[in-house]
Amino acid sequence: MTERSPKICLISPTENLARRAKPLIMRRGMDVRVEVAELEAAVSLAKLLLTQNDYLFISRRGTRDLLRKSLNIQVVNIPGEASDYIPAIQQLRHERGLIAFFSFEEEISNELRTICYLLDLKMKHYCFSDSLSCQSAVQQAVADGAA
């Protein structure tokens, strides 16, 4: 009797990551389902998929952590890099106001802080742990004058 391999699902917290992942997946000839959902919506999606089949999930940061905690499953991590922020920083580098950075239950990297320092960008980090605290963090950033 052969063991059934789990299906693979990338749950991307953003459209941008999903759009970047799809050509890579196709080039490698992999059979990977790509869905866009974050936080609680990702947990609901994963629960639904798990009722249909065995899945190996791939995700990033906060979505990965929430899936692990909520469903007690292993989730393959897509590591984040300070360079992921470069396109946004390029668009905002001429802003002289506060630039807000958000992350799920973790500090932002020293590399990202260094990039902001070298470019003389005023930045502030906001942390969240679920959709409600994310909304609060965004409201606080706006109140702080973030762009």
Side-chain angles (χ1 to χ4, degrees), residues 51-66:
T51 65
Q52 299 170 359
N53 210 325
D54 292 328
Y55 272 91
L56 169 66
F57 293 102
I58 304 168
S59 198
R60 180 175 227 175
R61 294 188 204 132
T63 301
R64 171 209 62 209
D65 293 345
L66 198 56

Side-chain angles (χ1 to χ4, degrees), residues 101-142:
F101 290 90
F102 299 89
S103 68
F104 182 88
E105 294 183 344
E106 63 185 40
E107 282 298 314
I108 59 172
S109 70
N110 286 332
E111 291 85 4
L112 181 56
R113 291 182 189 280
T114 301
I115 290 168
C116 290
Y117 174 78
L118 291 173
L119 294 175
D120 195 29
L121 298 173
K122 184 178 174 188
M123 60 85 66
K124 186 170 180 181
H125 174 241
Y126 300 86
C127 215
F128 61 91
S129 59
D130 56 28
S131 294
L132 187 59
S133 64
C134 182
Q135 289 174 0
S136 296
V138 170
Q139 289 170 346
Q140 184 60 53
V142 170

Side-chain angles (χ1 to χ4, degrees), residues 40-94:
E40 292 88 355
V43 171
S44 295
L45 172 64
K47 279 182 186 176
L48 175 66
L49 292 175
L50 287 169
T51 65
Q52 299 170 359
N53 210 325
D54 292 328
Y55 272 91
L56 169 66
F57 293 102
I58 304 168
S59 198
R60 180 175 227 175
R61 294 188 204 132
T63 301
R64 171 209 62 209
D65 293 345
L66 198 56
L67 286 169
R68 284 178 176 170
K69 280 196 281 188
S70 300
L71 302 176
N72 196 26
I73 59 173
Q74 289 298 314
V75 180
V76 177
N77 181 43
I78 300 172
E81 304 289 333
S83 61
D84 294 342
Y85 292 97
I86 296 297
I89 290 172
Q90 285 178 322
Q91 289 179 343
L92 295 171
R93 71 178 176 186
H94 299 295

